[in-house]
Amino acid sequence: TQLLEQSPQFLSIQEGENLTVYCNSSSVFSSLQWYRQEPGEGPVLLVTVVTGGEVKKLKRLTFQFGDARKDSSLHITAAQPGDTGLYLCAGYFGNEKLTFGTGTRLTIIP
Amino acid sequence: DAGVIQSPRHEVTEMGQEVTLRCKPISGHDYLFWYRQTMMRGLELLIYFNNNVPIDDSGMPEDRFSAKMPNASFSTLKIQPSEPRDSAVYFCASSLRVVTEAFFGQGTRLTVV
């Protein structure tokens, strides 16, 4: 069973600060996705990364896929209250099963 | 398309009763996933289908859980008999192919008392 560990589990910071959250696995990902989930809703896709070392940017969010494809990070610059939510990484491990990480619950304080 | 549609949004039932959760995936999507989310265990994959065929049900916790997909536009997850520890939010998701975006429904919040 593949396990995706995310850290930190909880993060609370002031508006305007920068932050990074992490996703790690002992197995190699075929591809990795980041989702954000808001209360009462299902997760919504932010990005998919496939190639080791790949970096993708989505406005103030920067996603990096590790060279060995076993880890990923999400960096948010100048966090805003609208960034509040549960951030989930999810990976395919050479099969069709989309396995989710444990999640990072982010709170941005105005 | 209206997205993935789940019903009901909320379900409260007594222990021992049968519960049926319903899902309508996005038209044309080949894959359908059922997940369960709790604070303790996060988002767990229960079962997934490819072209209406169950491929992997290794995440189904017990024989009390069963899932069907009689056609491309409908799937059910049934719990019989239900127990308080089944209380969770159950999500259905569909995707066009592997590695593409999984679109989630709004979930069914199940409470078993």
Side-chain angles (χ1 to χ4, degrees):
Chain A
T1 302
Q2 291 89 2
L3 211 60
L4 280 77
E5 296 284 345
Q6 290 188 243
S7 61
Q9 188 176 357
F10 298 94
L11 183 59
S12 183
I13 64 170
Q14 295 287 334
E15 180 178 0
E17 293 184 354
N18 302 332
L19 66 106
T20 303
V21 298
Y22 302 91
C23 174
N24 292 281
S25 173
S26 57
S27 301
V28 175
F29 298 104
S30 298
S31 65
L32 184 137
Q33 298 176 331
W34 284 93
Y35 289 77
R36 181 170 66 205
Q37 184 180 18
E38 299 188 12
E41 302 292 330
V44 176
L45 181 71
L46 295 173
V47 77
T48 299
V49 286
V50 179
T51 306
E54 184 175 2
V55 177
K56 282 193 174 179
K57 291 193 174 185
L58 185 66
K59 297 183 181 178
R60 294 176 294 99
L61 278 60
T62 301
F63 304 85
Q64 186 156 6
F65 200 14
D67 291 339
R69 301 191 355 248
K70 287 187 173 183
D71 59 274
S72 180
S73 64
L74 159 58
H75 181 79
I76 301 179
T77 304
Q80 298 177 1
D83 296 328
T84 293
L86 178 65
Y87 288 80
L88 296 158
C89 65
Y92 287 97
F93 294 92
N95 56 26
E96 300 174 321
K97 294 170 64 169
L98 184 59
T99 302
F100 279 81
T102 49
T104 293
R105 195 166 296 276
L106 175 64
T107 303
I108 307 302
I109 303 165
Chain B
D1 203 317
V4 176
I5 300 173
Q6 291 187 247
S7 64
R9 287 294 310 275
H10 302 273
E11 177 80 41
V12 180
T13 190
E14 291 186 346
M15 183 174 63
Q17 295 297 307
E18 177 180 298
V19 175
T20 299
L21 311 182
R22 296 172 175 79
C23 174
K24 180 180 179 349
I26 293 174
S27 176
H29 281 192
D30 289 343
Y31 288 85
L32 184 139
F33 305 86
W34 280 101
Y35 288 90
R36 177 173 69 176
Q37 187 173 39
T38 61
M39 286 295 293
M40 291 296 295
R41 300 175 67 89
L43 203 57
E44 302 174 278
L45 177 64
L46 301 177
I47 185 172
Y48 78 93
F49 296 81
N50 179 14
N51 290 317
N52 313 338
V53 177
I55 303 300
D56 190 328
D57 66 354
S58 60
M60 297 285 258
E62 299 172 34
D63 290 346
R64 299 184 295 107
F65 286 69
S66 63
K68 294 182 180 179
M69 193 164 185
N71 57 63
S73 59
F74 184 65
S75 178
T76 59
L77 178 67
K78 185 177 294 186
I79 308 173
Q80 165 64 16
S82 58
E83 296 182 3
R85 59 194 167 117
D86 301 331
S87 297
V89 181
Y90 290 81
F91 285 102
C92 173
S94 70
S95 68
L96 191 59
R97 297 180 303 275
V98 177
V99 189
T100 58
E101 178 176 1
F103 291 84
F104 282 77
Q106 291 188 295
T108 295
R109 181 174 294 278
L110 173 65
T111 304
V112 183
V113 298

